[in-house]
Structure formats: C-alpha cells, structure tokens
Amino acid sequence: MTQDELKSVVVAKSIDARGTACPGPLLEAKKAIGTIASGDIMEIYSADEGTKQDIPKWCTKQGHEYLGSVDENGYFKVYMKKK
Amino acid sequence: MEDIKKTDIQELQKQIYALNEQIENLKNSRKDQLSIAVVSGDMDKVLAAMVISIAAAAMDTQVKLFFSFWSLSALRDPKKSPKGKDFISKMFGLMLPNGKNKLSLSKMNMLGMGPMMIKMLMKKQNVMSLEQMFNEAGELGIEIVVCEMSMGLMGFKKEEMIDYPHLSFAGAATFVADAGESSIQLFI
C-alpha cells in the first residue's frame, strides 16, 4: 500500500506500543490480534526501529498480511491485516 | 488397450509410493518449537534467553527452556529459605546470586556497578526487566524445566525455586527429547 492509502485506511484496532522496547511491540500485537476479526486492519505505534522488521516477519509466519509503515515524528505506525 | 491400462496403473502406483514417502518425511519433520539449554547464570545471557523466548512465543512457537548449572541462580526465590541444607549447600547458596535480580554481567560487571547501570538503562529505554519477562513468559505458556542433577550438585532445593506456572524438574534426556523435536535449538 502507498503512504497515502495507509494514512486513510480504516483500522479496527490501534495499539500504542511506544512505551516498550523489543520484544514489547510484538507482544502487544500478539495480545491484540485475538480481539479483531479476520480481514480487519490493525495499526501498531512503535518507537522501536526493530518493529519495522519484526512485524512483517510475524505476519509472514502467521499468514497475516503486512501492509506497510508510516513514519511519524519520533515514532512510526505499522499496518497489518488479519488473515 | 489392456497394455495401456497396465502401464497407467503402474505409473499411479509409483506416484502413490512417492507421495507416501513424502508424507512420512513430513511426519518426521520438526515441530514449530524452540528449545534452549540455558546454562549461563549471567544477567545478560539470561536476558537474551528470555527475549528470544518471548519473541518466539509471541509468534506462536512452543518454547521449552531447560535451566541447568549456573542459570539455576535466576530461578531462586529470595523470599524462600529452605531448611535442612548441609554445610556445603549452605555455602553454595550464600556465594551464588539469590534470584534473577542479583545476577552479574558476563562483562563490565565492576563489582555490581555494571548490572545497576544496565538496569537503569533498561528502565529508561523501556526494556522489560527480568522480573517482567518471567511474568510474560508465564502468561505465554513458556515452559521451564529445571535440571535435577545441577540442582542437587549446587545444593538447591525445589522449595527455593520461584513460583512459576509452568515449572517442572527433569533430567538431560528430557532436554534431548524436547530439542530433538524442536525446529530451533539453542545453547546459552
């Protein structure tokens, strides 16, 4: 997805994991994924650079769709769609 | 006509045989499981073992940690004081770190200054403490197996181990069996 598409995407769940370092954001994402339905989009806020690489790997393993990330000031948002 | 049918059947039989072989191979392939032999009792190494385990469990990989030798210090509960230890066991108990918050660093320990600084930095950078990591590990269903032999060797007792929801005691063969069916095996 392009940056513009990501910015206007409708998210079912938004989690703020900026207060945790690795493996915190992944753990928060795992805990939240159970609360959304299949096909829903979730966004994860993180300030931990590793998250940008980790979330796509997690998605690949679990069969979710990784949509991309958007950089904000001092943090970023990662988007994924539940399988 | 008859001949053609015969060769067809033979070809099919060959394919079935090949498929059966593939299924057998798949059955024998390893599980989505991580086995770690945690031997080191250094704070940095126990930390590494826990971070990897939590990341694996968050990815739905089954995790089995086999704690042995120096790492047992990390599993001691400082609030518990077991009775009936002999002299050597008591000495060992006094000289070894009493719990995960008392572990030293493998480098830059500087008589305990190092761990203090690392803990401060971890807090500042929002890295989970070992205490928090063990709590998360328990919630994620990460299994901890304590090596009976090293526990006996160091004079530790079952009663002084932490309250952890998935704690068991076993021997080396348990690790070998668990590791044998794991797709990832590590030694820390």
Side-chain angles (χ1 to χ4, degrees), chain B residues 104-105 107-117:
Chain B
S104 47
L105 284 174
K107 285 194 172 69
M108 291 174 57
N109 192 50
M110 301 180 290
L111 301 165
M113 283 274 286
M116 229 166 68
M117 271 152 58

Side-chain angles (χ1 to χ4, degrees), chain B residues 132-164:
Chain B
Q132 287 169 312
M133 285 193 196
F134 271 83
N135 288 339
E136 289 290 352
E139 274 178 38
L140 287 163
I142 291 173
E143 287 177 42
I144 294 181
V145 182
V146 184
C147 170
E148 288 263 13
M149 184 272 275
S150 15
M151 209 168 60
L153 205 63
M154 293 167 145
F156 291 155
K157 299 214 163 203
K158 282 183 186 176
E159 302 89 78
E160 66 183 298
M161 296 291 133
I162 50 165
D163 295 317
Y164 183 81

Side-chain angles (χ1 to χ4, degrees), chain A residues 19 21 30-31 58 61-62, chain B residues 32 58-61 125-126 136:
Chain A
K30 184 225 162 35
K31 284 176 181 169
W58 173 63
K61 182 166 185 285
Q62 309 295 78
Chain B
D32 182 14
M59 292 171 94
D60 286 340
T61 299
Q125 295 183 23
N126 297 317
E136 289 290 352

Side-chain angles (χ1 to χ4, degrees), chain B residues 114-132:
Chain B
M116 229 166 68
M117 271 152 58
I118 287 281
K119 279 177 200 164
M120 232 168 65
L121 283 172
M122 281 167 66
K123 209 169 191 174
K124 201 175 155 203
Q125 295 183 23
N126 297 317
V127 178
M128 277 186 265
S129 68
L130 267 181
E131 192 75 50
Q132 287 169 312

